[in-house]
Amino acid sequence: MREEMDAVNRNGTWELVDLPHGHRPIGLKWVYKLKKNEAGKVVKHKARLIARGFVQQPGIDFDEVFAPVARMESIRLLLAVAAQKGWHVHHMDVKSAFLNGDLVEEVYVKQPPGFVVAREEDKVLRLHKALYGLRQAPRAWNAKLDRTLKELGFDQSKHEHAMYRRNNGGSALLVGVYVDDLVITGPSTRAIEQFKEEMKAKFQMSDLGLLSFYLGIEVKQGDDGISLNQGRYAQRIVESAGLKDCNPCATPMEERLKLSRDSTAPPVDATKYRRLVGSLRYLVHTRPDLAFAVGFVSRFMERPTEEHMVAVKRILRYVAGTMEYGLHYKREKEEQRLIGYSDSDLAGDIDTRRSTSGMLFFLGSSLVSWQSIKQRVVALSSCEAEYVAATNAATQGIWLARLLGELLGKQPKAIELKVDNKSALALAKNPVFHERSKHIDLRYHFIRSCLEEGSISASFITTMDQLADILTKALGRVRFHELVARIGVVKISSE
C-alpha cells in the first residue's frame, strides 16, 4: 500500500483542497491481488488504490472513455512475423500506468482509507492525473502513451491503432500495445535496448526481458520459432469445473450433434454455465480446434439446460486431454504470403436455420487468424452460404494484408482465398445466376470488387483439402484429428 501511495505522490496525481460547492467526491478503496507467473507461482503481492468510478456521471465527471488495445489477431501476426524472420520479442510493463494519464475534467475524490491527513479530515483530493477505477482512466493513459510514442518517432498503424512502427536506418522497430503491456520486436537488438532506455526515461517501467507470458498466454521463443499455448489456464478451467481427474474425450463435440434453445431438459445454473463458456472462449485464442464447439455452446447462454451443460463438459473433457496443445510459428527462409480458407455449412442452427461460416488465415505455415461465426442471414442454398462466408473472409483477409504491409513497410500482396464451392466462385467472379442471387444483400457482393481490383485471388479447393471445415461442423474423430494437425495445432513441450 505504501508503494502505491509513493507512486501516486511521485506522479503528482492530486492536491489536497476544500470541496467546492456543487461537487460530490468519489470514494476510494484498496484492492489486493496476488500476481503470478506462467507457472502459477506468486511473484508479487500487489495493492491498488481504486476509485469508485461507478458513481461518475457522463458530461460531469467524464466524457469519452474508449481506449484502443491490440486485437489478438494483430499480436499473433506480429509474433508470426518475428518467428519467421528470427527476431527476438521483448516485453515491457508500465508500472501504475493509469496514474500517468492527464485528466481534463474536474474530478474530486475522498482521501484514501488508512492515509487520511491528520487534522485535514474534511478536505478532499482534486485529481490532476487519472486513478484506477475512473471511467476515463484508460483513455487518458492511452492518449499519454500515444503522444509519447509519436514523440519518439513512431508512426501509428492506420489499420490497428495499438500498433506502432519506427524506422531505424533501414530496419524497423515494432511495438504492440495492450493497456500497459508493450510487446517489442525488430531485427536490431541494439534498437530494442535503445527504445527500452527511452521508455524508462519517460515512465516507471518493468523490463521483463524476452516475452514469455502475455495476457494468460505462455510464449516460448527458440531458434526454430515461437510457440503459443495456454496450458496453465486450461488446467484452471478444468479444475474449476470439477473435472480434474475425468476421462478425456477424443473430440470436443459429438458428431452431428443438434441442440436447441427450446430444450425441454431441466435448467442448470446459468451463472456457472456462462462462466465456463466465457473461460473457454478465451482459451480459443491459441486453440482453433475448439472454435466451433465453443461458439456452438455460446448460443445457449440465455437459458441453459442439462443438455447444453453436457456439451460444455464434453469440451472440457477434450481440453483435459489436450492441455499442452497450442500453435508453433516456424522460422522461414523466404518471405511468406497470406493464404485464407473459407467454408460454410447449410442451415446448421435448428432454431434460426442460419448457417455457420468458418475462416482460417495463414502467413506461410503459421495460423494467425480464425473465426467460426453464425451468419446474419438465412441462406437459401449452399452456394449462397459459401458466398456469404467468402465475403466475410475477404474483409478479414484484406485487413490482415494491409496490417502486414504496414508492419513490414511494404505494399500488401494479393491474398489467396480457397473456397470449396464452384457455384460460389462463379457467383463471385461473374454476375451469373441472377434469378438465384438477386435477393442477396448488397454488402455480400463486396468480394466481387476485391476480385476485380486484384486484392484477392479466389480459387477452388476440394472438400478434403478445405481446412476451414473444422470451424463449421462437429467432425468425426479421424477427420477432426487430421485437420487439427494440418492447421498447425501441435503439442507444445514444457521444456
Side-chain angles (χ1 to χ4, degrees):
M1 289 163 70
R2 290 195 188 97
E3 283 181 15
E4 178 76 355
M5 289 299 295
D6 288 343
V8 167
N9 294 323
R10 190 167 49 243
N11 283 330
T13 303
W14 56 43
E15 63 174 324
L16 198 62
V17 298
D18 292 312
L19 182 66
H21 180 71
H23 285 270
R24 184 174 63 172
I26 299 168
L28 301 177
K29 68 173 182 177
W30 289 99
V31 173
Y32 308 99
K33 186 178 181 182
L34 296 177
K35 293 204 79 172
K36 300 179 181 180
N37 62 10
E38 65 272 18
K41 183 180 178 182
V42 176
V43 293
K44 189 176 182 181
H45 295 76
K46 194 167 190 174
R48 180 74 76 198
L49 187 61
I50 305 290
R52 298 175 183 267
F54 53 82
V55 302
Q56 288 182 271
Q57 296 176 322
I60 299 174
D61 300 311
F62 70 95
D63 291 312
E64 297 293 333
V65 298
F66 175 76
V69 294
R71 291 166 60 90
M72 202 55 77
E73 298 103 309
S74 307
I75 296 297
R76 287 195 297 261
L77 183 64
L78 183 68
L79 294 177
V81 169
Q84 292 181 0
K85 293 185 175 294
W87 299 346
H88 289 302
V89 185
H90 289 251
H91 187 196
M92 291 192 85
D93 177 74
V94 186
K95 294 180 180 177
S96 303
F98 284 6
L99 303 184
N100 295 290
D102 299 315
L103 276 188
V104 179
E105 302 86 358
E106 191 175 352
V107 181
Y108 297 90
V109 297
K110 297 177 182 177
Q111 296 187 53
F115 293 87
V116 178
V117 179
R119 293 187 293 278
E120 302 280 6
E121 292 86 354
D122 296 334
K123 292 192 174 183
V124 295
L125 300 162
R126 178 177 177 177
L127 295 181
H128 300 299
K129 300 283 184 76
L131 276 181
Y132 284 83
L134 289 181
R135 301 284 287 274
Q136 67 268 48
R139 186 178 180 88
W141 158 243
N142 183 262
K144 180 72 173 281
L145 180 61
D146 177 69
R147 194 162 57 246
T148 301
L149 288 173
K150 287 176 178 175
E151 287 171 359
L152 294 175
F154 282 86
D155 295 318
Q156 187 180 34
S157 168
K158 295 176 183 176
H159 300 99
E160 174 60 277
H161 291 164
M163 285 283 185
Y164 296 83
R165 184 179 193 272
R166 181 171 76 181
N167 283 321
N168 289 307
S171 66
L173 183 65
L174 306 176
V175 176
V177 177
Y178 196 100
V179 190
D180 58 351
D181 282 300
L182 305 183
V183 176
I184 311 152
T185 189
S188 171
T189 305
R190 182 180 173 185
I192 293 173
E193 294 301 327
Q194 179 188 344
F195 170 68
K196 287 183 178 181
E197 294 303 319
E198 291 171 345
M199 289 300 292
K200 286 175 182 176
K202 298 282 186 180
F203 305 107
Q204 288 279 318
M205 304 290 296
S206 297
D207 185 355
L208 304 175
L210 291 177
L211 181 66
S212 62
F213 192 63
Y214 179 75
L215 302 178
I217 298 173
E218 299 160 41
V219 183
K220 297 180 178 67
Q221 301 185 50
D223 295 334
D224 61 336
I226 296 175
S227 299
L228 310 177
N229 84 312
Q230 295 169 274
R232 302 282 178 183
Y233 179 70
Q235 185 177 357
R236 288 205 305 273
I237 298 173
V238 172
E239 288 175 356
S240 69
L243 297 173
K244 184 178 179 181
D245 299 316
C246 65
N247 293 323
C249 282
T251 59
M253 194 169 166
E254 186 182 333
E255 191 176 8
R256 297 188 184 88
L257 177 68
K258 298 291 182 183
L259 294 176
S260 170
R261 278 185 241 167
D262 300 322
S263 169
T264 56
V268 294
D269 184 353
T271 302
K272 180 181 179 182
Y273 183 90
R274 292 166 190 158
R275 185 175 68 247
L276 289 174
V277 174
S279 300
L280 287 168
R281 289 195 71 82
Y282 195 74
L283 188 60
V284 173
H285 285 318
T286 59
R287 295 290 302 273
D289 54 324
L290 297 173
F292 173 74
V294 174
F296 183 79
V297 296
S298 299
R299 300 173 187 176
F300 313 111
M301 296 278 213
E302 186 179 356
R303 200 173 66 249
T305 67
E306 287 184 0
E307 280 185 337
H308 306 134
M309 185 60 88
V310 167
V312 171
K313 288 185 176 180
R314 165 97 182 206
I315 300 173
L316 290 166
R317 287 169 60 201
Y318 170 73
V319 170
T322 57
M323 286 185 189
E324 302 88 3
Y325 278 30
L327 297 172
H328 180 69
Y329 295 154
K330 298 177 183 176
R331 187 168 183 173
E332 307 279 0
K333 293 181 180 179
E334 298 179 359
E335 190 167 313
Q336 303 296 311
R337 64 179 295 192
L338 279 169
I339 302 173
Y341 293 81
S342 165
D343 194 22
S344 172
D345 71 343
L346 179 62
D349 189 310
I350 61 175
D351 293 310
T352 63
R353 306 311 294 176
R354 293 182 187 177
S355 307
T356 301
S357 297
M359 68 179 83
L360 296 166
F361 281 95
F362 293 83
L363 181 62
S365 62
S366 302
L367 180 59
V368 294
S369 178
W370 55 88
Q371 190 177 44
S372 175
I373 188 169
K374 190 164 65 172
Q375 294 180 0
R376 296 183 179 180
V377 295
V378 177
L380 302 183
S381 64
S382 59
C383 169
E384 184 181 339
E386 295 273 5
Y387 186 67
V388 170
T391 299
N392 290 334
T395 60
Q396 177 75 354
I398 287 173
W399 172 74
L400 282 170
R402 289 173 178 171
L403 177 59
L404 179 63
E406 279 190 323
L407 295 179
L408 298 176
K410 298 178 180 179
Q411 280 292 106
K413 296 181 180 179
I415 308 145
E416 193 177 344
L417 186 63
K418 308 280 191 180
V419 182
D420 64 353
N421 188 293
K422 290 183 178 180
S423 297
L425 280 173
L427 188 58
K429 293 179 179 179
N430 309 288
V432 295
F433 307 139
H434 177 71
E435 285 299 320
R436 301 183 194 177
S437 64
K438 60 187 177 184
H439 65 284
I440 298 177
D441 196 335
L442 184 63
R443 78 178 83 174
Y444 298 116
H445 295 302
F446 169 74
I447 192 171
R448 285 183 184 170
S449 62
C450 296
L451 291 169
E452 287 172 6
E453 68 186 20
S455 56
I456 284 181
S457 65
S459 59
F460 176 74
I461 191 171
T462 64
T463 301
M464 289 304 296
D465 291 325
Q466 176 56 274
L467 304 185
D469 198 31
I470 196 172
L471 301 176
T472 62
K473 61 180 77 72
L475 300 172
R477 181 177 57 84
V478 175
R479 175 67 172 160
F480 178 80
H481 284 288
E482 176 198 341
L483 290 181
V484 166
R486 291 180 67 181
I487 65 176
V489 176
V490 293
K491 187 173 183 178
I492 306 296
S493 170
S494 59
E495 298 176 3

